[in-house]
Amino acid sequence: MDKEIKHLRTYAKGKKSGASAWMWQRITGLALVVLTIGHYIMMHYEPKSGHDYGSTASRLSDPVFKGMYLGFITIGMYHGVQGCWNVIRDFKLKPWLSYTLFGTLVILAFIFLGIGYNTVFTFDPLKP
Amino acid sequence: MAYIPNREPIGSWSRIMMKYKRNGGSWAYLLHRITGIGLTVYLFVHIWALSSLTKGNAAFAAEMKTFTTPPFKVAEWLLGLLVMWHAFNGIRIAVVDLGNGAKYQKTLLKAVWTVGIAVVLLMFILIFQTELFGHPIL
């Protein structure tokens, strides 16, 4: 029991140990497993209707689907960038180099999130 | 742990790769990272590709037609391979980190390989059903 409490307390230290980042990595990871499997079934069970413009348009006019897509790319980006930071840090690069790589990745992630959000919000199903 | 820390500065990527112990779990760890980087890159590509939705029906349909050509179908299957490995091994990592889960890591790894290979083969049949059977089976 004492060991368990001690174990939980290491998570409470959070920022110092990076444990909270690791915990979020697992939480977002499990969320992504559920979302990805759902996405795969939805898009590929009936590949034609999954990928045509009409069905995409009807999904994107549904606020629940809109929210799901936005959540999906946001969680995915967080998980991906956090994971890459883990990999970068393991290579024992010079600090300026690892921070530059990570910074570039974060900026790119925000730009592409912007593109994704723009697609979802400015999508017009009536456009020819 | 898969990675053996050392004190000397590391010159090249190949040298760091040689420092991994060659156990099943180490390969899983390495594959998890490689597939993870691959999937992050794919997420960028995916968002970029789907931004054509804002250009209207014709542009989107033309793009989708490109994505159903054989090279893209192979790429789709390879993507499925990355996704399935990363997802199943990710579940294993989460379980191993919970309470007593580390006891079962080797059993879980076997399960990951079994389920993973089964799903990836099933995906192959589903993606190439027209090429394999001459007509769609689903």
Side-chain angles (χ1 to χ4, degrees):
Chain A
M1 191 65 197
D2 272 3
K3 267 188 182 174
E4 264 177 46
I5 291 170
K6 225 178 171 182
H7 185 67
L8 287 172
R9 276 191 187 145
T10 53
Y11 280 121
K13 283 178 191 167
K15 279 174 187 166
K16 273 184 192 167
S17 64
S20 75
W22 174 230
M23 198 166 72
W24 278 111
Q25 190 70 348
R26 279 176 290 158
I27 292 169
T28 52
L30 291 178
L32 283 170
V33 168
V34 176
L35 285 166
T36 309
I37 303 277
H39 189 60
Y40 253 101
I41 291 169
M42 194 184 69
M43 298 305 285
H44 294 283
Y45 186 71
E46 185 106 22
K48 272 180 192 160
S49 70
H51 288 83
D52 74 5
Y53 190 76
S55 58
T56 312
S58 70
R59 280 201 297 274
L60 275 179
S61 54
D62 182 347
V64 177
F65 268 111
K66 264 190 186 178
M68 195 207 74
Y69 283 131
L70 295 177
F72 202 173
I73 56 171
T74 314
I75 295 172
M77 274 298 180
Y78 171 79
H79 190 89
V81 169
Q82 177 67 49
C84 286
W85 173 232
N86 258 329
V87 176
I88 291 169
R89 221 173 32 179
D90 262 11
F91 276 95
K92 290 184 172 178
L93 303 168
K94 296 239 158 48
W96 69 265
L97 184 57
S98 52
Y99 281 111
T100 312
L101 283 173
F102 181 58
T104 317
L105 200 63
V106 170
I107 292 166
L108 274 175
F110 273 110
I111 292 171
F112 276 77
L113 271 184
I115 295 173
Y117 274 57
N118 180 56
T119 307
V120 171
F121 283 124
T122 64
F123 175 69
D124 174 17
L126 298 173
K127 200 170 171 181
Chain B
M1 275 305 276
Y3 177 67
I4 309 159
N6 67 330
R7 283 168 195 282
E8 63 193 74
I10 282 148
S12 70
W13 282 51
S14 59
R15 272 174 68 198
I16 227 177
M17 289 304 174
M18 295 311 286
K19 288 188 192 309
Y20 286 96
K21 277 186 183 172
R22 291 166 193 75
N23 295 329
S26 309
W27 288 116
Y29 174 83
L30 205 57
L31 279 175
H32 201 75
R33 307 205 127 181
I34 295 167
T35 53
I37 292 169
L39 289 172
T40 310
V41 172
Y42 175 72
L43 181 59
F44 284 90
V45 177
H46 197 48
I47 290 174
W48 176 253
L50 284 186
S51 68
S52 72
L53 272 171
T54 51
K55 290 178 200 151
N57 195 347
F60 185 71
E63 200 182 292
M64 281 301 130
K65 212 178 172 188
T66 322
F67 290 158
T68 49
T69 53
F72 280 97
K73 275 185 157 182
V74 175
E76 202 176 354
W77 180 64
L78 288 175
L79 170 73
L81 215 143
L82 297 191
V83 169
M84 291 307 154
W85 169 266
H86 202 84
F88 293 135
N89 193 49
I91 294 171
R92 169 176 162 265
I93 289 173
V95 173
V96 164
D97 261 12
L98 272 179
N100 246 346
K103 267 187 183 173
Y104 311 106
Q105 67 107 344
K106 289 200 170 163
T107 322
L108 284 168
L109 188 60
K110 281 175 199 158
V112 166
W113 278 111
T114 315
V115 179
I117 289 173
V119 170
V120 167
L121 286 179
L122 184 70
M123 281 176 87
F124 185 84
I125 294 170
L126 287 178
I127 291 173
F128 297 103
Q129 46 185 300
T130 330
E131 286 83 350
L132 285 172
F133 305 103
H135 58 88
I137 52 165
L138 258 180

